[in-house]
Amino acid sequence: MVSALKTWDQTTNLPAAGAAFLSPRAILLFDIDGVIRDVSGSYRRALVETVYHFGGWRPSASNIDALKGEGRWNNDWEASLELLRRGELADLPAFEALVEVFSGFYFGGDPEGDPSLWRGFIRSEPLLVEPGFFAALTDAEVAWGFVSGAEPPSARYVLEARLGLSDPPLIAMGDAPDKPDPTGLLRLAERLAGRPLGPGSPPIAYLGDTVADVLTVEQARLSQPGQALLSLAVAPPHLHGDAPARHRYEEALRAAGADRLLGRTSDLSSDQLLAWLEP
């Protein structure tokens, strides 16, 4: 944990984005997949192709959405295996073999190797925000970071190589228990707050796109009942062209406990966030 006496400094390599202050006015944490980047043609496609590789059938987007809507299957490796199980595959693959096939589709190269050599689906991920989005948050004294189930090389690639963020605060796969366990969210929020969480600590918002993300905030409230927490949610991009499906998905997010729904990540401004968070 960072000492409350230490100056907090959000660093990026963007101009005018490194304002330093003793304590942030608020903390905004993001999921990555479906929030910062569109993974419908990458992670989701790798999931589909992995199921096809082992099971001979391709789950539909609605199949995957329904599974994610249960709030348990944030890890796409485990989701792939669960879809195979529900498809009544006679011989389920070993988990390690499934991960290897999935990574082959997604990275198309060594995940720990040179990203310029990757030839997988990861190379076709549209960004959902511009780099200046984070500079504006910093200028408003909003601390920000990322709590994601993405593999660390994948998360670093989009944040550092694609968005140009320098050493962004990040909790990725393996750094904390999988969501909806709130450990990672609370750990990173406390580091950014520079003080123990609870009454008097800056308010925290978390923006995600799944029921598991919303439930993570619910669990964080149970763990830190004196801490101000806000659950923000957005429907993933693959639903934006299907109004009925998007409405059903958003209703599931509301039912899980989302406090506010966004049309898209880029719609969120620091002024709006602070209006929601500050009394």
Side-chain angles (χ1 to χ4, degrees), residues 239-260:
L239 293 174
H240 288 199
D242 185 341
R246 179 175 179 173
H247 177 74
R248 290 192 297 271
Y249 194 95
E250 290 176 338
E251 286 303 304
L253 294 172
R254 284 193 183 95
D259 298 307
R260 303 275 183 174

Side-chain angles (χ1 to χ4, degrees), residues 43-82:
Y43 263 123
R44 278 179 167 253
R45 185 180 172 195
L47 188 158
V48 168
E49 295 304 322
T50 298
V51 171
Y52 180 76
H53 176 88
F54 289 107
W57 63 284
R58 289 184 171 91
S60 67
S62 60
N63 294 147
I64 300 170
D65 288 339
L67 187 72
K68 297 280 187 177
E70 295 177 11
R72 295 178 53 203
W73 308 103
N74 197 62
N75 183 306
D76 284 334
W77 299 336
E78 295 176 356
S80 301
L81 190 60
E82 181 62 16

Side-chain angles (χ1 to χ4, degrees), residues 56-213:
W57 63 284
R58 289 184 171 91
S60 67
S62 60
N63 294 147
I64 300 170
D65 288 339
L67 187 72
K68 297 280 187 177
E70 295 177 11
R72 295 178 53 203
W73 308 103
N74 197 62
N75 183 306
D76 284 334
W77 299 336
E78 295 176 356
S80 301
L81 190 60
E82 181 62 16
L83 286 167
L84 288 167
R85 183 179 291 111
R86 295 186 187 189
E88 299 183 353
L89 184 66
D91 296 309
L92 290 174
F95 189 68
E96 294 78 7
L98 184 145
V99 170
E100 183 176 357
V101 167
F102 188 106
S103 294
F105 285 123
Y106 181 69
F107 288 104
D110 180 3
E112 299 295 339
D114 183 352
S116 69
L117 300 179
W118 293 343
R119 294 294 180 265
F121 302 155
I122 191 173
R123 297 185 66 85
S124 58
E125 293 178 332
L127 295 177
L128 301 177
V129 294
E130 298 292 333
F133 178 83
F134 301 101
L137 291 172
T138 298
D139 289 343
E141 299 185 3
V142 175
W144 45 265
F146 305 89
V147 180
S148 170
E151 298 139 284
S154 172
R156 290 193 298 268
Y157 175 71
V158 66
L159 299 178
E160 298 177 2
R162 298 287 309 282
L163 281 167
L165 305 179
S166 177
D167 194 24
L170 171 66
I171 296 288
M173 179 189 289
D175 294 332
D178 289 345
K179 295 176 289 186
D181 187 299
T183 301
L185 184 151
L186 293 172
R187 182 187 302 160
L188 184 56
E190 185 166 80
R191 176 159 71 87
L192 293 175
R195 60 186 299 171
L197 299 183
S201 182
I204 301 163
Y206 183 54
L207 174 56
D209 73 321
T210 67
V211 168
D213 293 327

